[in-house]
Amino acid sequence: MHDVIVSGSGPSGSLSAALLATRGHDVLMLEEAHHPRKKCCAGGLLVRAQRSIGAPLPERLVERRLKAVRLVRGKESVELRSDGEIALTIRRERFDQWLVDRAIEAGATLREGVEVRGAVSSGKKVVVETSGGMEEGRALLVADGALSKCSDRLFGKCPPGSIAMGGALEADCDAADDAMEIQLLSTSNGLDSIPPACAIFPKGSGCTVSFVARGVGGGRMQKVMKDALEAYAARHGRAEAVNTCFHPIPLAPRPRLVTGRCLALGDAAGFASPFSGEGLSNAMLSAVFAADSVHRALLEKNVSPLSRYIDDCHDNILHQSEIAGTVGRNISRLLNRHGAMRLARAAAGDSRLTEAYIGLLTGDASAEEVATASLSALPRMLMRLRRH
Ligand SMILES: Cc1cc2nc3c(=O)[nH]c(=O)nc-3n(C[C@H](O)[C@H](O)[C@H](O)COP(=O)(O)OP(=O)(O)OC[C@H]3O[C@@H](n4cnc5c(N)ncnc54)[C@H](O)[C@@H]3O)c2cc1C
């Protein structure tokens, strides 16, 4: 019997496997695909997300180092610039392969081409049903992404309406840009997008346009992303679309995060940000929390430390996501009401607020601190807006 079985070897699965194997546990990772496998993603890795890895990324994985966020609407733009880095861009195939290699180096075993179909947690073990037969473990980490059937059965389905669709349009382009560009869309365009914007991430010799929305067809999403790419190209030079992919993004947690000896992680738990659809930060944070509580449960030969995972996720992921979602919705309303760029300029001119927003991306500020900074800056910003 294995100490821990991990279903899925994306960032949440392979990071948790590496952390547990490093602490001496026998870890088996089961992956239905073969690495390097394709993952539909824009490849923006916030500094906040990198912190959970606990090691610097090798330079060969870094496509671009980003130091600013640029808000754009039509011909107008406002930049929030930081002294340090706020994010890196990466290619998911290479990044995920590196994380898997680290888990294997730490002593975990990877079996590829194996689909996990279900699991039953009873007494002192979990019996896992796979396409290659049955496996037994003392704990199961379910880290097999947004479409996890295993999570549906063990932890309950994500709440209705909480699954959005993410689109990523990859392009060749010449931009020597070091900013993450957020192209604001009108909130009265009838699209339920999260947030009402397209994000553009520059890469080594290209860029990726990302768009997240609910109930919007693929054709309409593709058109929004193509328009954003055209607007980017008009300011930065040539840009040619290469390919587009779509994949679901879960914006709300499952009813349960732990069932018996089974824990839900990352997208399989429903941990993407309801503000932006960004998911790598919480995927990797949940991996750290899961590894900590499973390690303790294995040492104490007792399942009760697993409940700490629920507390850690509630305090550091769900509570923060709830605040970020509420702040995001209100910012969207304000952008619609007062004119996006006037408000953005007023915000960019407020050093405390800028510092708080940059801090959210780097992990130096919590969503709570950003909400507090936004509320206290609002009267100053509205006064400034009224004067001009
Ligand atoms: C279009 C788009 C753009 C995005 N852009 C960003 C971004 O720029 N920045 C960001 O932070 N986040 C972004 N995200 C979100 C991010 O991709 C996810 O939050 C992140 O990949 C979650 O990691 P994970 O390890 O939980 O799951 P995944 O990365 O989905 O990994 C799950 C793994 O499980 C395997 N698997 C699936 N089913 C089974 C099974 N039954 N048995 C065994 N293995 C299985 C899969 O093959 C995969 O390897 C984006 C998402 C989309 C759709």
Side-chain angles (χ1 to χ4, degrees):
M1 176 156 41
H2 301 281
D3 288 332
V4 186
I5 297 176
V6 183
S7 174
S9 61
S12 59
S14 49
L15 180 59
S16 56
L19 294 170
L20 283 158
T22 303
R23 291 175 200 175
H25 301 296
D26 165 15
V27 182
L28 173 65
M29 283 186 285
L30 300 172
E31 167 60 54
E32 73 172 1
H34 290 265
H35 287 284
R37 59 97 177 85
K38 183 99 186 112
K39 167 70 182 91
C40 182
C41 182
L45 184 69
L46 298 180
V47 165
R48 192 171 135 224
Q50 295 163 47
R51 288 187 173 179
S52 297
I53 304 173
L57 251 67
E59 203 50 43
R60 67 182 164 82
L61 295 181
V62 180
E63 291 283 318
R64 201 66 69 88
R65 295 184 183 278
L66 306 184
K67 290 187 160 185
V69 177
R70 184 186 310 117
L71 298 173
V72 176
R73 182 163 213 174
K75 291 200 163 69
E76 290 184 283
S77 72
V78 176
E79 215 166 73
L80 303 183
R81 189 156 278 280
S82 162
D83 293 336
E85 214 166 275
I86 56 169
L88 295 175
T89 51
I90 46 139
R91 303 233 174 234
R92 281 295 299 273
E93 306 83 270
R94 288 188 226 150
F95 175 67
D96 288 17
Q97 174 81 67
W98 175 69
L99 286 173
V100 164
D101 290 345
R102 286 182 82 231
I104 294 169
E105 275 161 31
T109 303
L110 170 68
R111 240 180 259 157
E112 295 178 298
V114 178
E115 181 199 2
V116 171
R117 293 181 173 157
V120 178
S121 176
S122 59
K124 298 208 159 163
K125 64 179 182 184
V126 185
V127 179
V128 181
E129 185 197 342
T130 82
S131 53
M134 302 303 230
E135 295 286 351
E136 289 184 354
R138 291 185 176 82
L140 170 68
L141 304 187
V142 184
D144 47 24
L147 298 170
S148 176
K149 294 217 171 58
C150 200
S151 279
D152 284 351
R153 283 184 215 120
L154 286 169
F155 312 109
K157 294 198 179 199
C158 287
S162 66
I163 308 279
M165 187 54 77
L169 184 159
E170 268 180 56
D172 277 337
C173 65
D174 296 331
D177 200 6
D178 70 348
M180 180 194 305
E181 179 162 311
I182 310 292
Q183 286 190 18
L184 300 169
L185 304 170
S186 162
T187 46
S188 56
N189 60 7
L191 294 172
D192 182 8
S193 55
I194 300 131
C198 268
I200 302 176
F201 297 92
K203 303 232 166 120
S205 59
C207 63
T208 305
V209 182
S210 173
F211 183 57
V212 182
R214 271 184 289 227
V216 181
R220 184 97 193 267
M221 286 187 72
Q222 177 98 7
K223 163 100 175 66
V224 172
M225 291 189 284
K226 277 203 164 152
D227 289 350
L229 182 65
E230 241 171 60
Y232 191 69
R235 282 176 288 105
H236 294 278
R238 183 191 66 94
E240 280 161 32
V242 177
N243 63 58
T244 310
C245 61
F246 296 96
H247 195 270
I249 301 183
L251 304 175
R254 293 185 182 266
R256 296 180 294 284
L257 300 176
V258 174
T259 295
R261 294 171 168 263
C262 309
L263 284 68
L265 276 65
D267 275 13
F271 282 164
S273 162
F275 175 46
S276 62
E278 187 260 349
L280 288 167
S281 302
N282 289 341
M284 290 196 278
L285 198 54
S286 67
V288 173
F289 295 149
D292 283 348
S293 61
V294 168
H295 173 61
R296 279 188 44 184
L298 290 171
L299 282 188
E300 293 174 22
K301 295 189 170 62
N302 187 337
V303 287
S304 51
L306 297 183
S307 63
R308 203 178 112 183
Y309 178 65
I310 303 173
D311 296 339
D312 284 341
C313 291
H314 272 280
D315 293 350
N316 300 286
I317 295 179
L318 300 176
H319 181 57
Q320 297 298 321
S321 290
E322 214 172 283
I323 296 170
T326 309
V327 172
R329 272 191 299 281
N330 285 316
I331 287 179
S332 304
R333 273 192 211 124
L334 276 172
L335 288 178
N336 203 21
R337 189 151 169 206
H338 289 285
M341 297 319 283
R342 281 174 67 212
L343 187 69
R345 221 168 275 125
D350 191 301
S351 57
R352 266 179 289 166
L353 195 57
T354 309
E355 203 177 302
Y357 279 115
I358 297 281
L360 190 64
L361 305 178
T362 58
D364 293 317
S366 65
E368 228 155 357
E369 285 165 322
V370 174
T372 309
S374 304
L375 281 177
S376 67
L378 204 56
R380 291 197 298 276
M381 281 162 49
L382 292 177
M383 288 292 282
R384 221 176 289 162
L385 280 176
R386 210 163 282 158
R387 251 184 265 134
H388 294 115

